[in-house]
CSV table of all heavy atoms in Angstrom, one decimal:
chain,number,residue,atom,x,y,z
A,1079,LYS,N,80.2,-83.8,-128.8
A,1079,LYS,CA,78.9,-83.9,-129.6
A,1079,LYS,C,79.0,-84.9,-130.7
A,1079,LYS,O,80.0,-85.2,-131.3
A,1079,LYS,CB,78.5,-82.5,-130.2
A,1079,LYS,CG,78.2,-81.4,-129.1
A,1079,LYS,CD,77.7,-80.1,-129.8
A,1079,LYS,CE,77.3,-79.1,-128.7
A,1079,LYS,NZ,76.7,-77.9,-129.3
A,1080,ILE,N,77.7,-85.5,-131.1
A,1080,ILE,CA,77.7,-86.4,-132.2
A,1080,ILE,C,77.8,-85.6,-133.5
A,1080,ILE,O,77.0,-84.6,-133.7
A,1080,ILE,CB,76.4,-87.2,-132.1
A,1080,ILE,CG1,76.3,-88.0,-130.7
A,1080,ILE,CG2,76.3,-88.2,-133.2
A,1080,ILE,CD1,74.9,-88.6,-130.5
A,1081,ARG,N,78.7,-86.0,-134.3
A,1081,ARG,CA,78.9,-85.2,-135.5
A,1081,ARG,C,78.0,-85.8,-136.7
A,1081,ARG,O,78.2,-87.0,-137.1
A,1081,ARG,CB,80.4,-85.3,-135.9
A,1081,ARG,CG,81.3,-84.7,-134.9
A,1081,ARG,CD,82.8,-84.9,-135.2
A,1081,ARG,NE,83.0,-86.4,-135.2
A,1081,ARG,CZ,84.2,-86.9,-135.6
A,1081,ARG,NH1,85.2,-86.1,-136.0
A,1081,ARG,NH2,84.3,-88.2,-135.5
A,1082,ILE,N,77.0,-85.0,-137.1
A,1082,ILE,CA,76.1,-85.5,-138.1
A,1082,ILE,C,76.4,-84.8,-139.5
A,1082,ILE,O,76.7,-83.7,-139.6
A,1082,ILE,CB,74.6,-85.0,-137.6
A,1082,ILE,CG1,74.3,-85.6,-136.3
A,1082,ILE,CG2,73.6,-85.4,-138.7
A,1082,ILE,CD1,74.2,-87.0,-136.2
A,1083,ALA,N,76.2,-85.6,-140.5
A,1083,ALA,CA,76.3,-85.1,-141.9
A,1083,ALA,C,75.0,-85.5,-142.6
A,1083,ALA,O,74.4,-86.6,-142.3
A,1083,ALA,CB,77.5,-85.7,-142.6
A,1084,ILE,N,74.6,-84.7,-143.5
A,1084,ILE,CA,73.4,-84.9,-144.3
A,1084,ILE,C,73.8,-85.2,-145.7
A,1084,ILE,O,74.6,-84.4,-146.3
A,1084,ILE,CB,72.5,-83.6,-144.2
A,1084,ILE,CG1,72.0,-83.4,-142.9
A,1084,ILE,CG2,71.4,-83.7,-145.2
A,1084,ILE,CD1,71.3,-82.0,-142.6
A,1085,LEU,N,73.1,-86.2,-146.3
A,1085,LEU,CA,73.3,-86.4,-147.7
A,1085,LEU,C,72.0,-86.2,-148.5
A,1085,LEU,O,71.0,-86.9,-148.2
A,1085,LEU,CB,73.8,-87.9,-148.0
A,1085,LEU,CG,73.9,-88.3,-149.4
A,1085,LEU,CD1,75.0,-87.4,-150.2
A,1085,LEU,CD2,74.2,-89.8,-149.6
A,1086,GLY,N,71.9,-85.1,-149.2
A,1086,GLY,CA,70.7,-84.8,-149.9
A,1086,GLY,C,70.0,-83.6,-149.2
A,1086,GLY,O,69.8,-83.7,-148.0
A,1087,TYR,N,69.7,-82.5,-149.9
A,1087,TYR,CA,69.3,-81.3,-149.3
A,1087,TYR,C,68.0,-80.8,-149.9
A,1087,TYR,O,67.8,-79.7,-150.3
A,1087,TYR,CB,70.3,-80.2,-149.3
A,1087,TYR,CG,70.1,-79.1,-148.4
A,1087,TYR,CD1,70.1,-79.3,-147.0
A,1087,TYR,CD2,69.8,-77.8,-148.8
A,1087,TYR,CE1,69.9,-78.3,-146.1
A,1087,TYR,CE2,69.6,-76.8,-147.9
A,1087,TYR,CZ,69.6,-77.0,-146.5
A,1087,TYR,OH,69.5,-76.0,-145.6
A,1088,GLY,N,67.0,-81.8,-149.9
A,1088,GLY,CA,65.6,-81.4,-150.3
A,1088,GLY,C,64.8,-81.1,-149.0
A,1088,GLY,O,65.4,-80.7,-148.0
A,1089,ASN,N,63.5,-81.3,-149.0
A,1089,ASN,CA,62.6,-81.1,-147.9
A,1089,ASN,C,63.1,-81.8,-146.6
A,1089,ASN,O,63.2,-81.3,-145.5
A,1089,ASN,CB,61.2,-81.4,-148.2
A,1089,ASN,CG,60.6,-80.5,-149.2
A,1089,ASN,OD1,60.8,-79.3,-149.2
A,1089,ASN,ND2,59.7,-81.0,-150.0
A,1090,LEU,N,63.5,-83.1,-146.8
A,1090,LEU,CA,63.9,-83.9,-145.7
A,1090,LEU,C,65.3,-83.4,-145.1
A,1090,LEU,O,65.4,-83.4,-143.9
A,1090,LEU,CB,64.0,-85.4,-146.1
A,1090,LEU,CG,64.2,-86.4,-144.9
A,1090,LEU,CD1,63.2,-86.3,-143.8
A,1090,LEU,CD2,64.3,-87.8,-145.5
A,1091,GLY,N,66.1,-83.2,-146.0
A,1091,GLY,CA,67.6,-82.7,-145.6
A,1091,GLY,C,67.4,-81.4,-144.9
A,1091,GLY,O,68.1,-81.2,-143.8
A,1092,ARG,N,66.6,-80.5,-145.3
A,1092,ARG,CA,66.4,-79.2,-144.6
A,1092,ARG,C,65.8,-79.4,-143.2
A,1092,ARG,O,66.1,-78.8,-142.2
A,1092,ARG,CB,65.6,-78.3,-145.4
A,1092,ARG,CG,66.3,-77.7,-146.6
A,1092,ARG,CD,65.6,-76.6,-147.4
A,1092,ARG,NE,64.4,-77.1,-148.0
A,1092,ARG,CZ,64.4,-77.5,-149.3
A,1092,ARG,NH1,65.6,-77.5,-149.9
A,1092,ARG,NH2,63.4,-78.0,-149.9
A,1093,GLY,N,64.9,-80.5,-143.1
A,1093,GLY,CA,64.3,-80.8,-141.9
A,1093,GLY,C,65.3,-81.4,-140.9
A,1093,GLY,O,65.3,-81.1,-139.7
A,1094,VAL,N,66.2,-82.2,-141.4
A,1094,VAL,CA,67.3,-82.7,-140.5
A,1094,VAL,C,68.2,-81.6,-140.0
A,1094,VAL,O,68.5,-81.5,-138.8
A,1094,VAL,CB,68.1,-83.8,-141.3
A,1094,VAL,CG1,69.4,-84.1,-140.5
A,1094,VAL,CG2,67.3,-85.0,-141.6
A,1095,GLU,N,68.5,-80.6,-140.9
A,1095,GLU,CA,69.3,-79.4,-140.4
A,1095,GLU,C,68.6,-78.7,-139.2
A,1095,GLU,O,69.2,-78.5,-138.2
A,1095,GLU,CB,69.5,-78.5,-141.5
A,1095,GLU,CG,70.2,-77.2,-141.2
A,1095,GLU,CD,70.3,-76.3,-142.4
A,1095,GLU,OE1,69.4,-76.4,-143.3
A,1095,GLU,OE2,71.2,-75.4,-142.3
A,1096,LEU,N,67.3,-78.5,-139.3
A,1096,LEU,CA,66.5,-77.9,-138.3
A,1096,LEU,C,66.5,-78.8,-137.0
A,1096,LEU,O,66.6,-78.2,-135.9
A,1096,LEU,CB,65.1,-77.6,-138.7
A,1096,LEU,CG,64.9,-76.6,-139.9
A,1096,LEU,CD1,63.5,-76.6,-140.4
A,1096,LEU,CD2,65.3,-75.2,-139.5
A,1097,ALA,N,66.3,-80.0,-137.2
A,1097,ALA,CA,66.2,-80.9,-136.0
A,1097,ALA,C,67.5,-81.0,-135.2
A,1097,ALA,O,67.6,-81.0,-134.0
A,1097,ALA,CB,65.8,-82.3,-136.5
A,1098,VAL,N,68.6,-81.0,-136.0
A,1098,VAL,CA,70.0,-81.1,-135.3
A,1098,VAL,C,70.1,-79.9,-134.4
A,1098,VAL,O,70.6,-80.0,-133.3
A,1098,VAL,CB,71.1,-81.1,-136.3
A,1098,VAL,CG1,72.5,-81.0,-135.6
A,1098,VAL,CG2,71.1,-82.5,-137.0
A,1099,ARG,N,69.6,-78.7,-134.8
A,1099,ARG,CA,69.8,-77.5,-134.0
A,1099,ARG,C,69.0,-77.7,-132.7
A,1099,ARG,O,69.4,-77.0,-131.7
A,1099,ARG,CB,69.1,-76.3,-134.8
A,1099,ARG,CG,69.9,-75.8,-136.0
A,1099,ARG,CD,69.2,-74.5,-136.4
A,1099,ARG,NE,69.4,-74.4,-137.9
A,1099,ARG,CZ,68.7,-73.5,-138.6
A,1099,ARG,NH1,67.8,-72.7,-138.0
A,1099,ARG,NH2,68.9,-73.3,-139.9
A,1100,GLN,N,68.0,-78.5,-132.6
A,1100,GLN,CA,67.2,-78.6,-131.4
A,1100,GLN,C,67.8,-79.7,-130.5
A,1100,GLN,O,67.2,-80.0,-129.4
A,1100,GLN,CB,65.7,-79.0,-131.7
A,1100,GLN,CG,65.0,-77.8,-132.5
A,1100,GLN,CD,63.6,-78.1,-132.8
A,1100,GLN,OE1,63.2,-79.3,-133.0
A,1100,GLN,NE2,62.7,-77.1,-132.8
A,1101,ASN,N,68.8,-80.3,-130.9
A,1101,ASN,CA,69.5,-81.4,-130.1
A,1101,ASN,C,70.8,-81.0,-129.6
A,1101,ASN,O,71.8,-81.1,-130.5
A,1101,ASN,CB,69.5,-82.7,-130.9
A,1101,ASN,CG,68.1,-83.4,-131.0
A,1101,ASN,OD1,67.7,-84.2,-130.2
A,1101,ASN,ND2,67.4,-82.9,-132.1
A,1102,PRO,N,71.1,-80.5,-128.4
A,1102,PRO,CA,72.3,-79.9,-128.0
A,1102,PRO,C,73.5,-80.9,-128.0
A,1102,PRO,O,74.6,-80.5,-127.8
A,1102,PRO,CB,72.0,-79.3,-126.6
A,1102,PRO,CG,70.8,-80.1,-126.1
A,1102,PRO,CD,70.0,-80.4,-127.3
A,1103,ASP,N,73.2,-82.2,-128.0
A,1103,ASP,CA,74.4,-83.1,-128.0
A,1103,ASP,C,74.8,-83.5,-129.4
A,1103,ASP,O,75.6,-84.4,-129.6
A,1103,ASP,CB,73.9,-84.4,-127.3
A,1103,ASP,CG,72.7,-85.2,-128.0
A,1103,ASP,OD1,71.9,-84.5,-128.6
A,1103,ASP,OD2,72.6,-86.4,-127.9
A,1104,MET,N,74.3,-82.7,-130.4
A,1104,MET,CA,74.7,-83.0,-131.8
A,1104,MET,C,75.2,-81.7,-132.5
A,1104,MET,O,74.9,-80.6,-132.0
A,1104,MET,CB,73.5,-83.5,-132.6
A,1104,MET,CG,73.0,-84.8,-132.1
A,1104,MET,SD,71.7,-85.4,-133.2
A,1104,MET,CE,71.3,-87.0,-132.4
A,1105,THR,N,76.0,-81.9,-133.6
A,1105,THR,CA,76.5,-80.8,-134.3
A,1105,THR,C,76.4,-81.2,-135.8
A,1105,THR,O,76.7,-82.4,-136.1
A,1105,THR,CB,77.9,-80.3,-133.9
A,1105,THR,OG1,78.2,-79.2,-134.7
A,1105,THR,CG2,78.9,-81.4,-134.2
A,1106,LEU,N,76.0,-80.3,-136.7
A,1106,LEU,CA,76.0,-80.6,-138.1
A,1106,LEU,C,77.3,-80.2,-138.7
A,1106,LEU,O,77.8,-79.0,-138.7
A,1106,LEU,CB,74.9,-79.8,-138.7
A,1106,LEU,CG,74.6,-80.1,-140.2
A,1106,LEU,CD1,74.3,-81.5,-140.5
A,1106,LEU,CD2,73.5,-79.2,-140.8
A,1107,VAL,N,78.1,-81.1,-139.3
A,1107,VAL,CA,79.4,-80.9,-139.8
A,1107,VAL,C,79.5,-80.7,-141.3
A,1107,VAL,O,80.5,-80.4,-141.9
A,1107,VAL,CB,80.4,-82.1,-139.4
A,1107,VAL,CG1,80.5,-82.1,-137.8
A,1107,VAL,CG2,79.9,-83.4,-139.9
A,1108,GLY,N,78.3,-81.0,-142.0
A,1108,GLY,CA,78.4,-80.8,-143.5
A,1108,GLY,C,77.1,-81.4,-144.1
A,1108,GLY,O,76.4,-82.2,-143.6
A,1109,VAL,N,76.8,-80.7,-145.2
A,1109,VAL,CA,75.6,-81.1,-146.1
A,1109,VAL,C,76.3,-81.5,-147.4
A,1109,VAL,O,77.1,-80.7,-148.1
A,1109,VAL,CB,74.6,-79.9,-146.3
A,1109,VAL,CG1,73.7,-80.2,-147.4
A,1109,VAL,CG2,74.0,-79.6,-145.0
A,1110,PHE,N,76.0,-82.6,-147.9
A,1110,PHE,CA,76.5,-83.2,-149.2
A,1110,PHE,C,75.4,-83.3,-150.2
A,1110,PHE,O,74.3,-83.8,-149.9
A,1110,PHE,CB,77.2,-84.5,-148.9
A,1110,PHE,CG,78.4,-84.4,-148.0
A,1110,PHE,CD1,78.2,-84.4,-146.6
A,1110,PHE,CD2,79.6,-84.3,-148.5
A,1110,PHE,CE1,79.3,-84.3,-145.8
A,1110,PHE,CE2,80.8,-84.1,-147.7
A,1110,PHE,CZ,80.6,-84.1,-146.3
A,1111,THR,N,75.6,-82.7,-151.4
A,1111,THR,CA,74.6,-82.6,-152.4
A,1111,THR,C,75.1,-82.9,-153.8
A,1111,THR,O,76.3,-82.7,-154.1
A,1111,THR,CB,74.0,-81.2,-152.3
A,1111,THR,OG1,73.0,-81.0,-153.4
A,1111,THR,CG2,75.1,-80.1,-152.5
A,1112,ARG,N,74.2,-83.3,-154.6
A,1112,ARG,CA,74.5,-83.5,-156.0
A,1112,ARG,C,74.4,-82.2,-156.8
A,1112,ARG,O,74.9,-82.2,-157.9
A,1112,ARG,CB,73.5,-84.6,-156.6
A,1112,ARG,CG,73.8,-86.0,-156.2
A,1112,ARG,CD,72.8,-87.0,-156.8
A,1112,ARG,NE,71.5,-86.7,-156.2
A,1112,ARG,CZ,70.5,-87.7,-156.2
A,1112,ARG,NH1,70.8,-88.9,-156.6
A,1112,ARG,NH2,69.3,-87.4,-155.6
A,1113,ARG,N,73.8,-81.2,-156.2
A,1113,ARG,CA,73.7,-79.9,-156.8
A,1113,ARG,C,75.1,-79.1,-156.5
A,1113,ARG,O,75.9,-79.6,-155.8
A,1113,ARG,CB,72.6,-79.1,-156.2
A,1113,ARG,CG,71.2,-79.6,-156.6
A,1113,ARG,CD,70.1,-78.8,-156.0
A,1113,ARG,NE,69.8,-79.3,-154.6
A,1113,ARG,CZ,69.1,-78.5,-153.8
A,1113,ARG,NH1,68.6,-77.4,-154.1
A,1113,ARG,NH2,68.9,-79.0,-152.6
A,1114,ASP,N,75.2,-78.0,-157.2
A,1114,ASP,CA,76.3,-77.1,-157.0
A,1114,ASP,C,76.3,-76.6,-155.5
A,1114,ASP,O,75.4,-75.9,-155.1
A,1114,ASP,CB,76.3,-75.9,-158.0
A,1114,ASP,CG,77.6,-75.1,-157.9
A,1114,ASP,OD1,78.4,-75.2,-156.9
A,1114,ASP,OD2,77.9,-74.3,-158.8
A,1115,PRO,N,77.3,-77.0,-154.7
A,1115,PRO,CA,77.3,-76.6,-153.3
A,1115,PRO,C,77.2,-75.0,-153.1
A,1115,PRO,O,76.7,-74.5,-152.1
A,1115,PRO,CB,78.6,-77.1,-152.8
A,1115,PRO,CG,78.9,-78.3,-153.7
A,1115,PRO,CD,78.5,-77.8,-155.0
A,1116,LYS,N,77.7,-74.3,-154.1
A,1116,LYS,CA,77.6,-72.8,-154.0
A,1116,LYS,C,76.3,-72.3,-154.0
A,1116,LYS,O,76.0,-71.2,-153.5
A,1116,LYS,CB,78.5,-72.2,-155.2
A,1116,LYS,CG,79.9,-72.5,-155.2
A,1116,LYS,CD,80.6,-72.0,-156.4
A,1116,LYS,CE,82.1,-72.3,-156.5
A,1116,LYS,NZ,82.7,-71.7,-157.7
A,1117,ASN,N,75.3,-73.1,-154.5
A,1117,ASN,CA,73.9,-72.7,-154.5
A,1117,ASN,C,73.1,-73.2,-153.3
A,1117,ASN,O,71.9,-73.0,-153.3
A,1117,ASN,CB,73.2,-73.2,-155.8
A,1117,ASN,CG,73.9,-72.6,-157.0
A,1117,ASN,OD1,74.4,-71.4,-157.0
A,1117,ASN,ND2,73.9,-73.3,-158.1
A,1118,ILE,N,73.7,-73.8,-152.4
A,1118,ILE,CA,73.1,-74.3,-151.2
A,1118,ILE,C,73.2,-73.4,-150.0
A,1118,ILE,O,74.3,-73.1,-149.6
A,1118,ILE,CB,73.6,-75.8,-150.8
A,1118,ILE,CG1,73.5,-76.7,-151.9
A,1118,ILE,CG2,72.9,-76.2,-149.6
A,1118,ILE,CD1,72.0,-77.0,-152.3
A,1119,ALA,N,72.1,-72.9,-149.5
A,1119,ALA,CA,72.2,-71.9,-148.3
A,1119,ALA,C,71.8,-72.7,-147.1
A,1119,ALA,O,70.6,-73.0,-146.9
A,1119,ALA,CB,71.1,-70.8,-148.6
A,1120,CYS,N,72.8,-73.1,-146.4
A,1120,CYS,CA,72.5,-73.9,-145.1
A,1120,CYS,C,73.4,-73.3,-144.0
A,1120,CYS,O,74.4,-72.6,-144.3
A,1120,CYS,CB,72.7,-75.4,-145.3
A,1120,CYS,SG,74.3,-75.8,-146.0
A,1121,THR,N,73.2,-73.9,-142.8
A,1121,THR,CA,74.0,-73.3,-141.7
A,1121,THR,C,75.3,-74.0,-141.5
A,1121,THR,O,76.2,-73.6,-140.8
A,1121,THR,CB,73.2,-73.6,-140.4
A,1121,THR,OG1,72.9,-75.0,-140.3
A,1121,THR,CG2,71.9,-72.8,-140.4
A,1122,ALA,N,75.5,-75.1,-142.2
A,1122,ALA,CA,76.8,-75.9,-142.2
A,1122,ALA,C,77.5,-75.7,-143.6
A,1122,ALA,O,76.9,-75.2,-144.5
A,1122,ALA,CB,76.6,-77.4,-141.9
A,1123,GLN,N,78.7,-76.2,-143.7
A,1123,GLN,CA,79.4,-76.2,-145.0
A,1123,GLN,C,78.8,-77.1,-145.9
A,1123,GLN,O,78.4,-78.3,-145.6
A,1123,GLN,CB,80.9,-76.5,-144.7
A,1123,GLN,CG,81.7,-76.6,-146.0
A,1123,GLN,CD,81.9,-75.2,-146.6
A,1123,GLN,OE1,82.2,-74.3,-145.9
A,1123,GLN,NE2,81.7,-75.1,-147.9
A,1124,ALA,N,78.5,-76.7,-147.1
A,1124,ALA,CA,78.0,-77.6,-148.2
A,1124,ALA,C,79.1,-78.1,-149.1
A,1124,ALA,O,80.0,-77.4,-149.4
A,1124,ALA,CB,76.9,-76.8,-149.0
């Protein structure tokens, strides 16, 4: 699978997370944020 990472977790970043789920040839390996990662609720590691 293509390993995808997201930089920035606003409206667009959350949309990318949802879109990756709909593409079986991809996997989300991480979300990278300027905020405190402990406060990010996502399906991948923040």
Side-chain angles (χ1 to χ4, degrees):
K1079 292 187 176 183
I1080 303 170
R1081 299 170 299 172
I1082 302 294
I1084 295 170
L1085 177 60
Y1087 198 63
N1089 290 325
L1090 185 58
R1092 287 189 288 271
V1094 169
E1095 178 185 20
L1096 294 171
V1098 169
R1099 291 187 210 167
Q1100 295 182 329
N1101 288 268
D1103 62 331
M1104 296 185 177
T1105 185
L1106 183 60
V1107 297
V1109 171
F1110 295 83
T1111 176
R1112 290 176 292 204
R1113 290 178 280 168
D1114 186 343
K1116 296 178 182 177
N1117 297 328
I1118 301 297
C1120 59
T1121 57
Q1123 179 68 46

